[in-house]
Amino acid sequence: MAAPTFRKQERIVSTRLIEMLFGKGNSQSLSAYPLRAVFLQTARRPSCAPVQILISVPKKRFKHAVDRNRVKRQVREAYRHHKQLLEGTVAEDRQLLIAFIWLSDRHCQTNEVEKRVVGILERIATKS
């Protein structure tokens, strides 16, 4: 079994996709403090991964970039290790967009962040 990876194709980098995720009113939201997940299932674009994510840690919460980067790294690692929870829940012609947004102004232990990400992914898998 290969090690879990997180490739560029799994990131939301398109402004159009970000606007679609946050702009239109058909996305759904889940919270597991200190994280909030906004997700949307759309038609799949060619050469894109079936699940794409975005991680946002507002400057309002952490003023220093090193603090924001640490939180993003924790969320990214938790997702990378547990993204298989979403395998098989997305149809072949569909794509799932997920944005993780940090809500707290305090750091959390890595295992706590991982537990919250797993909870969110399991809830998204049941809704998809």
Side-chain angles (χ1 to χ4, degrees):
M1 182 175 172
T5 59
F6 184 65
R7 296 194 158 89
K8 171 104 174 171
Q9 294 89 3
E10 296 178 72
R11 298 173 192 212
I12 299 176
V13 292
S14 166
T15 307
R16 188 177 67 80
L17 287 178
I18 294 170
E19 288 175 356
M20 188 178 359
L21 181 60
F22 290 106
K24 296 184 178 177
N26 42 354
S27 58
Q28 297 176 324
S29 178
L30 296 171
S31 285
Y33 194 81
L35 279 172
R36 181 173 149 233
V38 177
F39 63 98
L40 175 69
Q41 212 172 53
T42 64
R44 188 163 181 188
R45 294 177 18 195
S47 73
C48 285
V51 180
Q52 288 188 321
I53 71 164
L54 169 88
I55 301 170
S56 174
V57 182
K59 196 173 187 178
K60 180 180 179 181
R61 304 289 179 209
F62 292 109
K63 300 296 182 203
H64 301 281
V66 292
D67 295 325
R68 293 191 300 273
N69 291 342
R70 176 177 182 238
V71 172
K72 286 190 275 190
R73 192 176 311 114
Q74 287 176 316
V75 175
R76 198 167 38 244
E77 279 299 295
Y79 172 77
R80 184 177 71 87
H81 284 292
H82 299 285
K83 66 182 179 181
Q84 74 274 5
L85 294 171
L86 296 175
E87 284 181 4
T89 61
V90 182
E92 192 70 31
D93 62 334
R94 305 295 286 168
Q95 180 180 23
L96 182 63
L97 307 174
I98 305 172
F100 290 102
I101 303 164
W102 191 261
L103 301 175
S104 176
D105 57 353
R106 298 185 187 274
H107 286 287
C108 287
Q109 296 278 336
T110 302
N111 58 358
E112 186 67 28
V113 173
E114 189 168 353
K115 192 180 347 175
R116 302 295 188 211
V117 170
V118 168
I120 287 173
L121 292 178
E122 287 173 343
R123 287 165 50 196
I124 290 174
T126 59
K127 289 189 177 204
S128 301

